[in-house]
Each structure stands twice: as C-alpha cells, then as structure tokens.
Amino acid sequence: MTKPRSPTARAGVLHAKPRGGMKTDDGAHGVQVLGLTSGRDGLLFVPKRRGAAEPAPLLVMLHGAGGQATQLVDRFVETAEARGYLILAPESRGRTWDVILGGYGPDVAFIDRALGRVFERRAVDPNRIAIAGFSDGASYALSLGIANGDLFTDVLAFSPGYMAPSRHEGRPRIFVSHGVHDAVLPIDACSRRLAATLRAAGYDLDYREFDGGHAVPPEMVTAAVARFLN
C-alpha cells in the first residue's frame, strides 16, 4: 500500500478547491477513466448538457468494501445526466478505504489528486459539492465530509457502519438511509446510533429508513440527489 504523502493526508484533510480560469477539458462527455494511475484508478462522469466552463454541481462517490468505481456510478448516471451534475468516483488504494484499515493516508491523498484533476478541467459550483458512499464508502464519506465541511456542502451516506472524522470543519448537510433488514451492517448498531449522534451535534440531518437490506434503492437515490441539488 502506498504510504501517506503528507501529515495532512494522515489527518484526513483535503486541500483541492474549485478554481476559476481557463479549463483544459477536451470536451468529452459520459463516463471517462480518470487516468491518474495504472490499476485501481477511478471514473468521471460528465453530462452532455454541461460545457467545461459552466459551473456544475459535483458528487464525489465512494464504493463499498472490495468494490470498484462502477459499483455506484451506474445507479446515478441517469439523474446526473438529467440534472446536470458531475460524478467523480475514485477507487480505494486497498480493498477498502484507509481509515477503515487503520488510519488516514493514501486514499485521502488520491482523492485530493482526483479532485485537483477535476477542478483543473471542469468548472465546479463551490456551493454544491457533495461526498457520497455506500457501506464502507458511506462510513468514509461521513468521516471525510464532516472533517472537510469547508469543501463539501453535503454528505450522502447509504447504509454506513460508523464514522471517524479527524476534526469537525464546517456544517455540511447530511443525508443517511439504511434498510431495516440490513444483515451486513445492522441498523440499530449503525445508522440509528449515527443519526442520534449527528442530531445531538446539531447537523442538518435527513435520516430515512426503508423496508429492505444492504442496498441503495432508487427512491433513496432520488431523495438524496434532490436534497443535494435543491
């Protein structure tokens, strides 16, 4: 596994920020490979309705344990095309995200690089940047989103297990959904506990339970995206 690149990466802090000026995008649309590294890399989805210079909302999407970028992207492409937002889906350096394996570091550094690439090539609306994830990715989205609330306006967590933010920065809005029959990450020990903690801390929380298991139902995608963009 790649070693952490900086003390701030080890602290779970992201530095990439949207920037103005000319963009270097080649005009491609649809799902594209990031091209940052060989092997585990990531994807970027660009809707047809957005030009490179037109500021667009950005959704950073994190897969579950053992997953790949396509795990969630396919479920969001239709709404991203219809509503004109970008999707960035980096892949973890190992089998799951670094903090779940013991500490922040290589994944934070890679996500920072991926964000920097997007901000260089595309105009991003700084008031609508969300981080989302499923399962382990949801736990990581909550952790990074709360620690980097100066970057992320929203956190969308689908069936998270826990959260481990290194700090509390800003006040991102938070959406959490969880199936009441989840046998992988049981709801009582996971999202119900997390929801109580987030409410007690004063976060703007939209918490939803559904009749199902460890999944991301279409209606939860619709509700989460609507909250993010409205």
Side-chain angles (χ1 to χ4, degrees), residues 62-66 95-97 100 133-142 158-162 185 214:
L62 309 178
H63 60 74
R95 59 183 174 80
T96 191
W97 303 97
I100 296 165
F134 168 63
S135 194
D136 275 11
S139 299
Y140 203 52
L142 279 170
F158 303 97
S159 305
Y162 75 104
L185 294 173
H214 199 60

mmCIF file with all atom_site columns, all heavy atoms in Angstrom, residues 62-66 95-97 100 133-142 158-162 185 214:
data_model
loop_
_atom_site.group_PDB
_atom_site.id
_atom_site.type_symbol
_atom_site.label_atom_id
_atom_site.label_alt_id
_atom_site.label_comp_id
_atom_site.label_asym_id
_atom_site.label_entity_id
_atom_site.label_seq_id
_atom_site.pdbx_PDB_ins_code
_atom_site.Cartn_x
_atom_site.Cartn_y
_atom_site.Cartn_z
_atom_site.occupancy
_atom_site.B_iso_or_equiv
_atom_site.pdbx_formal_charge
_atom_site.auth_seq_id
_atom_site.auth_comp_id
_atom_site.auth_asym_id
_atom_site.auth_atom_id
_atom_site.pdbx_PDB_model_num
ATOM 1   N N   . LEU A 1 62  ? -18.093 7.180  -3.323 1.00 0.00 ? 62  LEU A N   1
ATOM 2   C CA  . LEU A 1 62  ? -17.156 6.196  -2.777 1.00 0.00 ? 62  LEU A CA  1
ATOM 3   C C   . LEU A 1 62  ? -17.806 4.813  -2.702 1.00 0.00 ? 62  LEU A C   1
ATOM 4   O O   . LEU A 1 62  ? -18.863 4.643  -2.076 1.00 0.00 ? 62  LEU A O   1
ATOM 5   C CB  . LEU A 1 62  ? -16.687 6.639  -1.387 1.00 0.00 ? 62  LEU A CB  1
ATOM 6   C CG  . LEU A 1 62  ? -16.148 8.081  -1.289 1.00 0.00 ? 62  LEU A CG  1
ATOM 7   C CD1 . LEU A 1 62  ? -15.763 8.395  0.143  1.00 0.00 ? 62  LEU A CD1 1
ATOM 8   C CD2 . LEU A 1 62  ? -14.971 8.290  -2.243 1.00 0.00 ? 62  LEU A CD2 1
ATOM 9   N N   . HIS A 1 63  ? -17.163 3.830  -3.292 1.00 0.00 ? 63  HIS A N   1
ATOM 10  C CA  . HIS A 1 63  ? -17.686 2.469  -3.349 1.00 0.00 ? 63  HIS A CA  1
ATOM 11  C C   . HIS A 1 63  ? -17.572 1.762  -2.002 1.00 0.00 ? 63  HIS A C   1
ATOM 12  O O   . HIS A 1 63  ? -16.885 2.216  -1.081 1.00 0.00 ? 63  HIS A O   1
ATOM 13  C CB  . HIS A 1 63  ? -16.932 1.669  -4.421 1.00 0.00 ? 63  HIS A CB  1
ATOM 14  C CG  . HIS A 1 63  ? -15.448 1.578  -4.166 1.00 0.00 ? 63  HIS A CG  1
ATOM 15  N ND1 . HIS A 1 63  ? -14.897 0.781  -3.192 1.00 0.00 ? 63  HIS A ND1 1
ATOM 16  C CD2 . HIS A 1 63  ? -14.399 2.201  -4.768 1.00 0.00 ? 63  HIS A CD2 1
ATOM 17  C CE1 . HIS A 1 63  ? -13.597 0.900  -3.194 1.00 0.00 ? 63  HIS A CE1 1
ATOM 18  N NE2 . HIS A 1 63  ? -13.256 1.764  -4.142 1.00 0.00 ? 63  HIS A NE2 1
ATOM 19  N N   . GLY A 1 64  ? -18.216 0.601  -1.894 1.00 0.00 ? 64  GLY A N   1
ATOM 20  C CA  . GLY A 1 64  ? -18.132 -0.220 -0.696 1.00 0.00 ? 64  GLY A CA  1
ATOM 21  C C   . GLY A 1 64  ? -16.888 -1.097 -0.694 1.00 0.00 ? 64  GLY A C   1
ATOM 22  O O   . GLY A 1 64  ? -16.088 -1.087 -1.634 1.00 0.00 ? 64  GLY A O   1
ATOM 23  N N   . ALA A 1 65  ? -16.700 -1.854 0.372  1.00 0.00 ? 65  ALA A N   1
ATOM 24  C CA  . ALA A 1 65  ? -15.520 -2.717 0.513  1.00 0.00 ? 65  ALA A CA  1
ATOM 25  C C   . ALA A 1 65  ? -15.425 -3.699 -0.644 1.00 0.00 ? 65  ALA A C   1
ATOM 26  O O   . ALA A 1 65  ? -16.411 -4.334 -1.025 1.00 0.00 ? 65  ALA A O   1
ATOM 27  C CB  . ALA A 1 65  ? -15.579 -3.474 1.829  1.00 0.00 ? 65  ALA A CB  1
ATOM 28  N N   . GLY A 1 66  ? -14.212 -3.803 -1.214 1.00 0.00 ? 66  GLY A N   1
ATOM 29  C CA  . GLY A 1 66  ? -13.989 -4.724 -2.311 1.00 0.00 ? 66  GLY A CA  1
ATOM 30  C C   . GLY A 1 66  ? -14.588 -4.289 -3.627 1.00 0.00 ? 66  GLY A C   1
ATOM 31  O O   . GLY A 1 66  ? -14.537 -5.032 -4.608 1.00 0.00 ? 66  GLY A O   1
ATOM 32  N N   . ARG A 1 95  ? -8.247  -2.809 -0.373 1.00 0.00 ? 95  ARG A N   1
ATOM 33  C CA  . ARG A 1 95  ? -9.537  -3.480 -0.528 1.00 0.00 ? 95  ARG A CA  1
ATOM 34  C C   . ARG A 1 95  ? -10.689 -2.642 -0.010 1.00 0.00 ? 95  ARG A C   1
ATOM 35  O O   . ARG A 1 95  ? -11.845 -2.874 -0.364 1.00 0.00 ? 95  ARG A O   1
ATOM 36  C CB  . ARG A 1 95  ? -9.517  -4.833 0.188  1.00 0.00 ? 95  ARG A CB  1
ATOM 37  C CG  . ARG A 1 95  ? -9.228  -4.751 1.674  1.00 0.00 ? 95  ARG A CG  1
ATOM 38  C CD  . ARG A 1 95  ? -9.146  -6.127 2.318  1.00 0.00 ? 95  ARG A CD  1
ATOM 39  N NE  . ARG A 1 95  ? -8.739  -6.071 3.708  1.00 0.00 ? 95  ARG A NE  1
ATOM 40  C CZ  . ARG A 1 95  ? -9.549  -5.779 4.710  1.00 0.00 ? 95  ARG A CZ  1
ATOM 41  N NH1 . ARG A 1 95  ? -10.821 -5.501 4.495  1.00 0.00 ? 95  ARG A NH1 1
ATOM 42  N NH2 . ARG A 1 95  ? -9.090  -5.749 5.964  1.00 0.00 ? 95  ARG A NH2 1
ATOM 43  N N   . THR A 1 96  ? -10.399 -1.684 0.868  1.00 0.00 ? 96  THR A N   1
ATOM 44  C CA  . THR A 1 96  ? -11.395 -0.717 1.306  1.00 0.00 ? 96  THR A CA  1
ATOM 45  C C   . THR A 1 96  ? -10.656 0.558  1.683  1.00 0.00 ? 96  THR A C   1
ATOM 46  O O   . THR A 1 96  ? -9.453  0.676  1.466  1.00 0.00 ? 96  THR A O   1
ATOM 47  C CB  . THR A 1 96  ? -12.260 -1.265 2.455  1.00 0.00 ? 96  THR A CB  1
ATOM 48  O OG1 . THR A 1 96  ? -13.375 -0.377 2.677  1.00 0.00 ? 96  THR A OG1 1
ATOM 49  C CG2 . THR A 1 96  ? -11.465 -1.422 3.754  1.00 0.00 ? 96  THR A CG2 1
ATOM 50  N N   . TRP A 1 97  ? -11.351 1.530  2.249  1.00 0.00 ? 97  TRP A N   1
ATOM 51  C CA  . TRP A 1 97  ? -10.775 2.856  2.478  1.00 0.00 ? 97  TRP A CA  1
ATOM 52  C C   . TRP A 1 97  ? -9.827  2.878  3.673  1.00 0.00 ? 97  TRP A C   1
ATOM 53  O O   . TRP A 1 97  ? -10.025 2.179  4.665  1.00 0.00 ? 97  TRP A O   1
ATOM 54  C CB  . TRP A 1 97  ? -11.906 3.862  2.636  1.00 0.00 ? 97  TRP A CB  1
ATOM 55  C CG  . TRP A 1 97  ? -12.793 3.845  1.427  1.00 0.00 ? 97  TRP A CG  1
ATOM 56  C CD1 . TRP A 1 97  ? -13.974 3.167  1.286  1.00 0.00 ? 97  TRP A CD1 1
ATOM 57  C CD2 . TRP A 1 97  ? -12.525 4.461  0.165  1.00 0.00 ? 97  TRP A CD2 1
ATOM 58  N NE1 . TRP A 1 97  ? -14.461 3.336  0.010  1.00 0.00 ? 97  TRP A NE1 1
ATOM 59  C CE2 . TRP A 1 97  ? -13.600 4.125  -0.701 1.00 0.00 ? 97  TRP A CE2 1
ATOM 60  C CE3 . TRP A 1 97  ? -11.489 5.269  -0.321 1.00 0.00 ? 97  TRP A CE3 1
ATOM 61  C CZ2 . TRP A 1 97  ? -13.655 4.572  -2.021 1.00 0.00 ? 97  TRP A CZ2 1
ATOM 62  C CZ3 . TRP A 1 97  ? -11.554 5.716  -1.630 1.00 0.00 ? 97  TRP A CZ3 1
ATOM 63  C CH2 . TRP A 1 97  ? -12.628 5.371  -2.460 1.00 0.00 ? 97  TRP A CH2 1
ATOM 64  N N   . ILE A 1 100 ? -10.590 2.803  7.509  1.00 0.00 ? 100 ILE A N   1
ATOM 65  C CA  . ILE A 1 100 ? -11.226 1.568  7.949  1.00 0.00 ? 100 ILE A CA  1
ATOM 66  C C   . ILE A 1 100 ? -10.181 0.476  8.170  1.00 0.00 ? 100 ILE A C   1
ATOM 67  O O   . ILE A 1 100 ? -10.357 -0.430 8.982  1.00 0.00 ? 100 ILE A O   1
ATOM 68  C CB  . ILE A 1 100 ? -12.294 1.139  6.927  1.00 0.00 ? 100 ILE A CB  1
ATOM 69  C CG1 . ILE A 1 100 ? -13.400 2.210  6.886  1.00 0.00 ? 100 ILE A CG1 1
ATOM 70  C CG2 . ILE A 1 100 ? -12.889 -0.221 7.250  1.00 0.00 ? 100 ILE A CG2 1
ATOM 71  C CD1 . ILE A 1 100 ? -14.317 2.133  5.706  1.00 0.00 ? 100 ILE A CD1 1
ATOM 72  N N   . GLY A 1 133 ? -21.436 7.818  -0.456 1.00 0.00 ? 133 GLY A N   1
ATOM 73  C CA  . GLY A 1 133 ? -20.873 6.477  -0.461 1.00 0.00 ? 133 GLY A CA  1
ATOM 74  C C   . GLY A 1 133 ? -21.871 5.450  0.027  1.00 0.00 ? 133 GLY A C   1
ATOM 75  O O   . GLY A 1 133 ? -22.897 5.789  0.625  1.00 0.00 ? 133 GLY A O   1
ATOM 76  N N   . PHE A 1 134 ? -21.541 4.181  -0.248 1.00 0.00 ? 134 PHE A N   1
ATOM 77  C CA  . PHE A 1 134 ? -22.348 3.052  0.179  1.00 0.00 ? 134 PHE A CA  1
ATOM 78  C C   . PHE A 1 134 ? -21.522 2.138  1.069  1.00 0.00 ? 134 PHE A C   1
ATOM 79  O O   . PHE A 1 134 ? -20.361 1.845  0.771  1.00 0.00 ? 134 PHE A O   1
ATOM 80  C CB  . PHE A 1 134 ? -22.861 2.276  -1.038 1.00 0.00 ? 134 PHE A CB  1
ATOM 81  C CG  . PHE A 1 134 ? -23.475 0.942  -0.715 1.00 0.00 ? 134 PHE A CG  1
ATOM 82  C CD1 . PHE A 1 134 ? -24.625 0.862  0.068  1.00 0.00 ? 134 PHE A CD1 1
ATOM 83  C CD2 . PHE A 1 134 ? -22.901 -0.232 -1.169 1.00 0.00 ? 134 PHE A CD2 1
ATOM 84  C CE1 . PHE A 1 134 ? -25.191 -0.364 0.373  1.00 0.00 ? 134 PHE A CE1 1
ATOM 85  C CE2 . PHE A 1 134 ? -23.458 -1.470 -0.876 1.00 0.00 ? 134 PHE A CE2 1
ATOM 86  C CZ  . PHE A 1 134 ? -24.614 -1.534 -0.105 1.00 0.00 ? 134 PHE A CZ  1
ATOM 87  N N   . SER A 1 135 ? -22.100 1.702  2.196  1.00 0.00 ? 135 SER A N   1
ATOM 88  C CA  . SER A 1 135 ? -21.461 0.739  3.088  1.00 0.00 ? 135 SER A CA  1
ATOM 89  C C   . SER A 1 135 ? -20.151 1.315  3.650  1.00 0.00 ? 135 SER A C   1
ATOM 90  O O   . SER A 1 135 ? -20.171 2.383  4.257  1.00 0.00 ? 135 SER A O   1
ATOM 91  C CB  . SER A 1 135 ? -21.254 -0.587 2.350  1.00 0.00 ? 135 SER A CB  1
ATOM 92  O OG  . SER A 1 135 ? -20.931 -1.630 3.229  1.00 0.00 ? 135 SER A OG  1
ATOM 93  N N   . ASP A 1 136 ? -19.005 0.664  3.424  1.00 0.00 ? 136 ASP A N   1
ATOM 94  C CA  . ASP A 1 136 ? -17.736 1.244  3.874  1.00 0.00 ? 136 ASP A CA  1
ATOM 95  C C   . ASP A 1 136 ? -17.525 2.624  3.258  1.00 0.00 ? 136 ASP A C   1
ATOM 96  O O   . ASP A 1 136 ? -16.962 3.531  3.886  1.00 0.00 ? 136 ASP A O   1
ATOM 97  C CB  . ASP A 1 136 ? -16.563 0.339  3.485  1.00 0.00 ? 136 ASP A CB  1
ATOM 98  C CG  . ASP A 1 136 ? -16.311 -0.763 4.500  1.00 0.00 ? 136 ASP A CG  1
ATOM 99  O OD1 . ASP A 1 136 ? -17.154 -0.959 5.394  1.00 0.00 ? 136 ASP A OD1 1
ATOM 100 O OD2 . ASP A 1 136 ? -15.271 -1.443 4.393  1.00 0.00 ? 136 ASP A OD2 1
ATOM 101 N N   . GLY A 1 137 ? -17.955 2.791  2.010  1.00 0.00 ? 137 GLY A N   1
ATOM 102 C CA  . GLY A 1 137 ? -17.849 4.092  1.356  1.00 0.00 ? 137 GLY A CA  1
ATOM 103 C C   . GLY A 1 137 ? -18.694 5.149  2.032  1.00 0.00 ? 137 GLY A C   1
ATOM 104 O O   . GLY A 1 137 ? -18.325 6.325  2.065  1.00 0.00 ? 137 GLY A O   1
ATOM 105 N N   . ALA A 1 138 ? -19.835 4.735  2.595  1.00 0.00 ? 138 ALA A N   1
ATOM 106 C CA  . ALA A 1 138 ? -20.682 5.669  3.334  1.00 0.00 ? 138 ALA A CA  1
ATOM 107 C C   . ALA A 1 138 ? -20.020 6.079  4.644  1.00 0.00 ? 138 ALA A C   1
ATOM 108 O O   . ALA A 1 138 ? -20.065 7.255  5.041  1.00 0.00 ? 138 ALA A O   1
ATOM 109 C CB  . ALA A 1 138 ? -22.045 5.042  3.611  1.00 0.00 ? 138 ALA A CB  1
ATOM 110 N N   . SER A 1 139 ? -19.403 5.124  5.319  1.00 0.00 ? 139 SER A N   1
ATOM 111 C CA  . SER A 1 139 ? -18.658 5.437  6.544  1.00 0.00 ? 139 SER A CA  1
ATOM 112 C C   . SER A 1 139 ? -17.538 6.431  6.245  1.00 0.00 ? 139 SER A C   1
ATOM 113 O O   . SER A 1 139 ? -17.296 7.384  6.998  1.00 0.00 ? 139 SER A O   1
ATOM 114 C CB  . SER A 1 139 ? -18.067 4.165  7.154  1.00 0.00 ? 139 SER A CB  1
ATOM 115 O OG  . SER A 1 139 ? -19.078 3.246  7.509  1.00 0.00 ? 139 SER A OG  1
ATOM 116 N N   . TYR A 1 140 ? -16.857 6.202  5.113  1.00 0.00 ? 140 TYR A N   1
ATOM 117 C CA  . TYR A 1 140 ? -15.751 7.086  4.736  1.00 0.00 ? 140 TYR A CA  1
ATOM 118 C C   . TYR A 1 140 ? -16.269 8.455  4.295  1.00 0.00 ? 140 TYR A C   1
ATOM 119 O O   . TYR A 1 140 ? -15.652 9.480  4.586  1.00 0.00 ? 140 TYR A O   1
ATOM 120 C CB  . TYR A 1 140 ? -14.938 6.436  3.616  1.00 0.00 ? 140 TYR A CB  1
ATOM 121 C CG  . TYR A 1 140 ? -13.519 6.931  3.515  1.00 0.00 ? 140 TYR A CG  1
ATOM 122 C CD1 . TYR A 1 140 ? -12.682 6.948  4.629  1.00 0.00 ? 140 TYR A CD1 1
ATOM 123 C CD2 . TYR A 1 140 ? -12.988 7.359  2.302  1.00 0.00 ? 140 TYR A CD2 1
ATOM 124 C CE1 . TYR A 1 140 ? -11.372 7.384  4.539  1.00 0.00 ? 140 TYR A CE1 1
ATOM 125 C CE2 . TYR A 1 140 ? -11.678 7.790  2.198  1.00 0.00 ? 140 TYR A CE2 1
ATOM 126 C CZ  . TYR A 1 140 ? -10.869 7.806  3.321  1.00 0.00 ? 140 TYR A CZ  1
ATOM 127 O OH  . TYR A 1 140 ? -9.571  8.253  3.231  1.00 0.00 ? 140 TYR A OH  1
ATOM 128 N N   . ALA A 1 141 ? -17.402 8.482  3.605  1.00 0.00 ? 141 ALA A N   1
ATOM 129 C CA  . ALA A 1 141 ? -17.998 9.752  3.194  1.00 0.00 ? 141 ALA A CA  1
ATOM 130 C C   . ALA A 1 141 ? -18.382 10.590 4.412  1.00 0.00 ? 141 ALA A C   1
ATOM 131 O O   . ALA A 1 141 ? -18.144 11.809 4.439  1.00 0.00 ? 141 ALA A O   1
ATOM 132 C CB  . ALA A 1 141 ? -19.212 9.503  2.309  1.00 0.00 ? 141 ALA A CB  1
ATOM 133 N N   . LEU A 1 142 ? -18.987 9.973  5.404  1.00 0.00 ? 142 LEU A N   1
ATOM 134 C CA  . LEU A 1 142 ? -19.318 10.699 6.637  1.00 0.00 ? 142 LEU A CA  1
ATOM 135 C C   . LEU A 1 142 ? -18.055 11.230 7.305  1.00 0.00 ? 142 LEU A C   1
ATOM 136 O O   . LEU A 1 142 ? -18.008 12.389 7.738  1.00 0.00 ? 142 LEU A O   1
ATOM 137 C CB  . LEU A 1 142 ? -20.066 9.780  7.611  1.00 0.00 ? 142 LEU A CB  1
ATOM 138 C CG  . LEU A 1 142 ? -21.564 9.581  7.385  1.00 0.00 ? 142 LEU A CG  1
ATOM 139 C CD1 . LEU A 1 142 ? -22.081 8.466  8.281  1.00 0.00 ? 142 LEU A CD1 1
ATOM 140 C CD2 . LEU A 1 142 ? -22.331 10.872 7.652  1.00 0.00 ? 142 LEU A CD2 1
ATOM 141 N N   . PHE A 1 158 ? -25.244 6.052  2.335  1.00 0.00 ? 158 PHE A N   1
ATOM 142 C CA  . PHE A 1 158 ? -26.170 4.954  2.133  1.00 0.00 ? 158 PHE A CA  1
ATOM 143 C C   . PHE A 1 158 ? -25.672 3.725  2.895  1.00 0.00 ? 158 PHE A C   1
ATOM 144 O O   . PHE A 1 158 ? -24.652 3.147  2.546  1.00 0.00 ? 158 PHE A O   1
ATOM 145 C CB  . PHE A 1 158 ? -26.301 4.644  0.641  1.00 0.00 ? 158 PHE A CB  1
ATOM 146 C CG  . PHE A 1 158 ? -26.738 5.829  -0.189 1.00 0.00 ? 158 PHE A CG  1
ATOM 147 C CD1 . PHE A 1 158 ? -25.801 6.607  -0.862 1.00 0.00 ? 158 PHE A CD1 1
ATOM 148 C CD2 . PHE A 1 158 ? -28.071 6.175  -0.276 1.00 0.00 ? 158 PHE A CD2 1
ATOM 149 C CE1 . PHE A 1 158 ? -26.190 7.705  -1.622 1.00 0.00 ? 158 PHE A CE1 1
ATOM 150 C CE2 . PHE A 1 158 ? -28.480 7.274  -1.034 1.00 0.00 ? 158 PHE A CE2 1
ATOM 151 C CZ  . PHE A 1 158 ? -27.539 8.041  -1.704 1.00 0.00 ? 158 PHE A CZ  1
ATOM 152 N N   . SER A 1 159 ? -26.358 3.374  3.967  1.00 0.00 ? 159 SER A N   1
ATOM 153 C CA  . SER A 1 159 ? -26.030 2.216  4.806  1.00 0.00 ? 159 SER A CA  1
ATOM 154 C C   . SER A 1 159 ? -24.633 2.285  5.408  1.00 0.00 ? 159 SER A C   1
ATOM 155 O O   . SER A 1 159 ? -23.821 1.371  5.242  1.00 0.00 ? 159 SER A O   1
ATOM 156 C CB  . SER A 1 159 ? -26.189 0.913  4.008  1.00 0.00 ? 159 SER A CB  1
ATOM 157 O OG  . SER A 1 159 ? -27.477 0.810  3.450  1.00 0.00 ? 159 SER A OG  1
ATOM 158 N N   . PRO A 1 160 ? -24.318 3.346  6.140  1.00 0.00 ? 160 PRO A N   1
ATOM 159 C CA  . PRO A 1 160 ? -22.993 3.445  6.768  1.00 0.00 ? 160 PRO A CA  1
ATOM 160 C C   . PRO A 1 160 ? -22.877 2.552  7.989  1.00 0.00 ? 160 PRO A C   1
ATOM 161 O O   . PRO A 1 160 ? -23.885 2.172  8.597  1.00 0.00 ? 160 PRO A O   1
ATOM 162 C CB  . PRO A 1 160 ? -22.917 4.921  7.172  1.00 0.00 ? 160 PRO A CB  1
ATOM 163 C CG  . PRO A 1 160 ? -24.347 5.291  7.464  1.00 0.00 ? 160 PRO A CG  1
ATOM 164 C CD  . PRO A 1 160 ? -25.158 4.526  6.433  1.00 0.00 ? 160 PRO A CD  1
ATOM 165 N N   . GLY A 1 161 ? -21.640 2.239  8.359  1.00 0.00 ? 161 GLY A N   1
ATOM 166 C CA  . GLY A 1 161 ? -21.399 1.459  9.560  1.00 0.00 ? 161 GLY A CA  1
ATOM 167 C C   . GLY A 1 161 ? -20.996 2.316  10.742 1.00 0.00 ? 161 GLY A C   1
ATOM 168 O O   . GLY A 1 161 ? -21.436 2.105  11.865 1.00 0.00 ? 161 GLY A O   1
ATOM 169 N N   . TYR A 1 162 ? -20.138 3.314  10.483 1.00 0.00 ? 162 TYR A N   1
ATOM 170 C CA  . TYR A 1 162 ? -19.676 4.199  11.544 1.00 0.00 ? 162 TYR A CA  1
ATOM 171 C C   . TYR A 1 162 ? -19.070 5.439  10.910 1.00 0.00 ? 162 TYR A C   1
ATOM 172 O O   . TYR A 1 162 ? -19.080 5.603  9.684  1.00 0.00 ? 162 TYR A O   1
ATOM 173 C CB  . TYR A 1 162 ? -18.648 3.487  12.427 1.00 0.00 ? 162 TYR A CB  1
ATOM 174 C CG  . TYR A 1 162 ? -17.279 3.322  11.816 1.00 0.00 ? 162 TYR A CG  1
ATOM 175 C CD1 . TYR A 1 162 ? -16.204 4.119  12.211 1.00 0.00 ? 162 TYR A CD1 1
ATOM 176 C CD2 . TYR A 1 162 ? -17.041 2.347  10.834 1.00 0.00 ? 162 TYR A CD2 1
ATOM 177 C CE1 . TYR A 1 162 ? -14.942 3.957  11.651 1.00 0.00 ? 162 TYR A CE1 1
ATOM 178 C CE2 . TYR A 1 162 ? -15.786 2.181  10.285 1.00 0.00 ? 162 TYR A CE2 1
ATOM 179 C CZ  . TYR A 1 162 ? -14.740 2.990  10.693 1.00 0.00 ? 162 TYR A CZ  1
ATOM 180 O OH  . TYR A 1 162 ? -13.492 2.833  10.141 1.00 0.00 ? 162 TYR A OH  1
ATOM 181 N N   . LEU A 1 185 ? -24.649 -4.594 7.895  1.00 0.00 ? 185 LEU A N   1
ATOM 182 C CA  . LEU A 1 185 ? -24.422 -3.531 8.882  1.00 0.00 ? 185 LEU A CA  1
ATOM 183 C C   . LEU A 1 185 ? -25.764 -3.251 9.545  1.00 0.00 ? 185 LEU A C   1
ATOM 184 O O   . LEU A 1 185 ? -26.540 -2.413 9.068  1.00 0.00 ? 185 LEU A O   1
ATOM 185 C CB  . LEU A 1 185 ? -23.861 -2.274 8.200  1.00 0.00 ? 185 LEU A CB  1
ATOM 186 C CG  . LEU A 1 185 ? -22.469 -2.400 7.582  1.00 0.00 ? 185 LEU A CG  1
ATOM 187 C CD1 . LEU A 1 185 ? -22.118 -1.141 6.795  1.00 0.00 ? 185 LEU A CD1 1
ATOM 188 C CD2 . LEU A 1 185 ? -21.418 -2.653 8.664  1.00 0.00 ? 185 LEU A CD2 1
ATOM 189 N N   . HIS A 1 214 ? -29.173 -4.525 2.707  1.00 0.00 ? 214 HIS A N   1
ATOM 190 C CA  . HIS A 1 214 ? -27.963 -3.738 2.475  1.00 0.00 ? 214 HIS A CA  1
ATOM 191 C C   . HIS A 1 214 ? -27.947 -3.301 1.018  1.00 0.00 ? 214 HIS A C   1
ATOM 192 O O   . HIS A 1 214 ? -27.411 -4.000 0.150  1.00 0.00 ? 214 HIS A O   1
ATOM 193 C CB  . HIS A 1 214 ? -26.738 -4.593 2.815  1.00 0.00 ? 214 HIS A CB  1
ATOM 194 C CG  . HIS A 1 214 ? -25.489 -3.808 3.045  1.00 0.00 ? 214 HIS A CG  1
ATOM 195 N ND1 . HIS A 1 214 ? -25.370 -2.852 4.028  1.00 0.00 ? 214 HIS A ND1 1
ATOM 196 C CD2 . HIS A 1 214 ? -24.278 -3.850 2.416  1.00 0.00 ? 214 HIS A CD2 1
ATOM 197 C CE1 . HIS A 1 214 ? -24.157 -2.339 4.005  1.00 0.00 ? 214 HIS A CE1 1
ATOM 198 N NE2 . HIS A 1 214 ? -23.478 -2.919 3.022  1.00 0.00 ? 214 HIS A NE2 1
#
